[in-house]
Amino acid sequence: MIINLIMSSILALSMNSIYYVYTPHGSGVLVQVHDELSSFEIASYNSYTDSNFPLATRIASSTNHYNCHSYAWYSQNINTNIYWMENPSLYYADSSYHEISYNQVQPRDRICYFDENNYNIHSGMVLWLTGEVQNSVCGYSNTVMVQSKWGNKGLYQHKGDYCPYVSTYNGEASYVKFYRLNETHTHSFSYTCMNDIYHYEICSCGTLLFQHNFELNIVHPNINNPFYIPEYVCKDCGFIALNPSV
């Protein structure tokens, strides 16, 4: 019996292993790994949430592999993010992110939904501004479009005040705050040609620095010349690429 009790304790411990992910400033944030939903549960949750929020667009299916906080703060790569995060507050408590006013918000800033006890119950990624004036639903949430994971339901694109966390839909959030990453370094980049349509560069920190568009410019000297080389000129910055497909 004692052996069985010990084995049960070891099994329980292994099933509740503690993991950490780290903020940009190095603070360890507690996360968990959950068993995945069944295919029946995934289909049911997708159908239920889609039908109850027809104006939201589901980007990815229901899953236990990550939640809203993990998606917003840790990683937006839904193919590799397997962590469930209950409390993301260290991301802004250790100054990795700083709070900004609603009228300073830009795409990729974070939005957090707080309840009356000032607890962050939901996080998302700002996509763009709606241009709307603040309404009476959950602070300035209606002024932004958001992409966020809804618990173990799907990943959705939605207006900030159109989600299960606000009072209109029986949620407990009463106000929102916005946060922005504190830049701790100077972005580094070089021109990277991707194809004959655009080129872009991403810093090693993951920030998209720019995405520019190419135009084909025939100048060497004409297409009938055996030495003709097609030249692609960026109409945004003037960068020239002779072979933008590599």
Side-chain angles (χ1 to χ4, degrees), residues 139-151:
Y140 288 91
S141 60
N142 69 296
T143 64
V144 292
M145 285 293 295
V146 178
Q147 189 155 299
S148 67
K149 176 71 161 48
W150 294 357

Side-chain angles (χ1 to χ4, degrees), residues 45-59 145 150 156-159 161-164 168-169:
Y45 291 169
N46 287 345
S47 176
Y48 175 83
T49 314
D50 290 354
S51 61
N52 279 275
F53 291 88
L55 300 181
T57 301
R58 179 161 50 85
I59 305 300
M145 285 293 295
W150 294 357
Y156 284 86
Q157 186 178 112
H158 60 97
K159 196 150 72 75
D161 62 344
Y162 186 73
C163 64
T168 307
Y169 305 99

Side-chain angles (χ1 to χ4, degrees), residues 15 37 50 61 210:
M15 291 176 64
L37 302 169
D50 290 354
S61 286
F210 61 77

